[in-house]
Amino acid sequence: MTTRILDLDREQLAALRGRALTDAVAAAEGRTMVGEVFGERCALSPHPDGRGVHNAELVSAFGADIVVLNLIERAWDGERLTLPGLGTFDSFTELSQVIGRPIGINLEPGDVPEIRRAKPEHAKRLIDMGAAMLCITANP
């Protein structure tokens, strides 16, 4: 029997990927919270030394089981992720461990910056760097 996502602690949540994540969400029968945030934004402005509270931390503290980063091109150069208030990360796995949640990435088709475009090679790269899930969205 699969454990429901709402019964997992922060380390177990951070480790969820792929089928294990899908199964844990399904086992929760609609009781999963997802918070989407912009990668480059803080809820509370960081101090000059970089300390602060990032929106990913805030939505996690308020119950999000999964954090989805949108507008990834503003915080990720393709190699490193820089989040105000949190620091710089070499992988989404590292970020997951810090905030205790699986990290999803929002990709879009069409006229968006290349690094955020929904393409197979971008999807593979993000998953290889530890993204737990990908959301494909399109805005009119």
Side-chain angles (χ1 to χ4, degrees), residues 89-110:
F89 303 89
D90 292 323
S91 72
F92 297 102
T93 303
E94 288 179 17
L95 176 59
S96 292
Q97 292 166 345
V98 169
I99 66 169
R101 301 294 185 273
I103 302 297
I105 307 296
N106 186 15
L107 296 176
E108 297 183 44

Side-chain angles (χ1 to χ4, degrees), residues 29 43 60 94 103 108 121 139:
E29 298 176 326
S60 297
E94 288 179 17
I103 302 297
E108 297 183 44
E121 58 269 23
N139 296 311

Side-chain angles (χ1 to χ4, degrees), residues 8-80:
L8 301 175
D9 65 27
R10 68 182 314 278
E11 287 80 21
Q12 293 168 314
L13 282 169
L16 285 177
R17 301 278 182 287
R19 177 57 61 193
L21 176 59
T22 303
D23 290 347
V25 169
E29 298 176 326
R31 294 179 300 264
T32 301
M33 297 291 291
V34 177
E36 181 181 39
V37 300
F38 294 150
E40 90 292 359
R41 302 241 179 107
C42 276
L44 301 173
S45 297
H47 299 282
D49 66 2
R51 292 180 299 132
V53 178
H54 189 272
N55 287 341
E57 293 176 290
L58 191 62
V59 298
S60 297
F62 280 92
D65 300 301
I66 301 168
V67 175
V68 174
L69 297 178
N70 197 349
L71 302 176
I72 193 71
E73 72 277 4
R74 297 180 183 175
W76 185 53
D77 65 8
E79 299 295 326
R80 298 175 62 104

